């Protein structure tokens, strides 16, 4: 009788332990199952989204410049052309990363050489910061929201 009770207790304990920890043993190291490669439609959607995001980012940057509308439009076209050329540039093979970096810097300087003559020194510094990755888009977005709120508030007050 004692052996039967002991056997039942051990059996129940093992069931409880396997129910509690069984899933961990199957995926012991938290490995994710291999992901399937993205489909063509997913790739196209991602490229479209990236293109829209790039356009928005460039537009936000251009609002921070002090230049006139004509100069901004020229710079916008120049930046769009630059990003298209960067895609092609990044596909080119280089022997090492130092060569790629030096060639990329020379490419960037040469591409924006004419545009720099149109911009003030302050705007040139902003352009340099943009390409260094130091442009903070959140401040521009905050200003846009404030303008919308003011317009909305002004429109509500007029009614």
């Amino acid at each position: 009788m004692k052996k039967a009770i002991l056997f039942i207790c051990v059996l129940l304990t093992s069931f409880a332990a396997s129910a509690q920890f069984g899933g961990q043993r199957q995926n012991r190291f938290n490995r994710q199952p291999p992901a399937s490669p993205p489909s063509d439609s997913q790739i196209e959607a991602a490229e479209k989204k990236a293109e829209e995001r790039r356009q928005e980012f460039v537009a936000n940057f251009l609002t921070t410049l002090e230049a006139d509308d004509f100069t901004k439009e020229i710079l916008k076209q120049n930046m769009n052309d630059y990003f298209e050329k960067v895609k092609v540039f990044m596909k080119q093979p280089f022997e090492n990363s130092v060569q790629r970096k030096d060639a990329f810097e020379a490419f960037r300087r040469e591409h924006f050489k004419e545009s720099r003559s149109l911009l003030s020194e302050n705007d040139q510094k902003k352009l340099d910061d943009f390409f260094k990755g130091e442009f903070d888009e959140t401040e521009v977005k905050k200003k846009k929201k404030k303008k919308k709120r003011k317009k909305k508030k002004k429109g509500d007050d007029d009614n």
Side-chain angles (χ1 to χ4, degrees):
M1 182 74 177
K2 286 183 182 182
K3 287 183 181 180
I5 293 175
L6 184 62
F7 178 73
I8 291 173
C9 288
V10 169
L11 190 63
L12 290 176
T13 305
S14 65
F15 284 143
S18 66
Q20 212 170 23
F21 301 112
Q24 290 179 355
R25 288 189 185 123
Q26 291 173 358
N27 193 1
R28 190 173 199 165
F29 298 107
N30 287 333
R31 292 183 187 154
Q32 297 294 327
S36 61
S39 67
D40 291 339
S41 61
Q42 289 174 333
I43 291 172
E44 288 177 16
E47 287 177 356
K48 184 178 178 183
K49 188 174 180 180
E51 178 67 24
E52 289 173 0
R53 177 68 185 115
R54 183 176 57 90
Q55 293 293 337
E56 179 186 351
F57 192 69
V58 169
N60 285 340
F61 170 71
L62 291 175
T63 60
T64 64
L65 298 180
E66 300 164 354
D68 61 339
D69 291 338
F70 180 71
T71 306
K72 286 181 183 180
E73 187 62 33
I74 291 173
L75 187 60
K76 180 181 178 181
Q77 291 174 359
N78 201 355
M79 290 177 89
N80 288 334
D81 183 44
Y82 167 77
F83 286 120
E84 293 301 320
K85 288 182 180 179
V86 165
K87 287 180 186 177
V88 174
F89 181 85
M90 289 301 172
K91 292 178 182 177
Q92 294 178 351
F94 284 91
E95 289 184 25
N96 58 36
S97 62
V98 175
Q99 283 183 342
R100 178 181 292 276
K101 185 177 179 182
D102 292 342
F104 189 70
E105 285 297 319
F107 162 69
R108 185 184 319 158
R109 275 193 305 271
E110 188 63 32
H111 188 79
F112 286 102
K113 190 181 222 181
E114 295 173 8
S115 299
R116 287 187 176 280
S117 64
L118 299 172
L119 298 174
S120 67
E121 280 196 36
N122 190 23
D123 287 347
Q124 288 179 14
K125 288 178 186 176
K126 288 180 182 179
L127 186 65
D128 289 337
D129 290 344
F130 178 79
F131 288 112
K132 288 179 186 174
E134 297 173 1
F135 172 63
D136 188 19
E137 189 179 20
T138 56
E139 292 181 23
V140 176
K141 287 183 178 182
K142 286 180 183 178
K143 287 180 183 178
K144 282 185 177 181
K145 282 185 179 181
K146 283 183 181 180
K147 283 183 180 179
K148 283 183 180 180
R149 287 180 188 158
K150 285 181 181 179
K151 279 186 177 180
K152 196 173 188 179
K153 202 173 203 182
K154 201 178 234 186
D156 290 343
D157 290 343
D158 290 343
N159 292 333

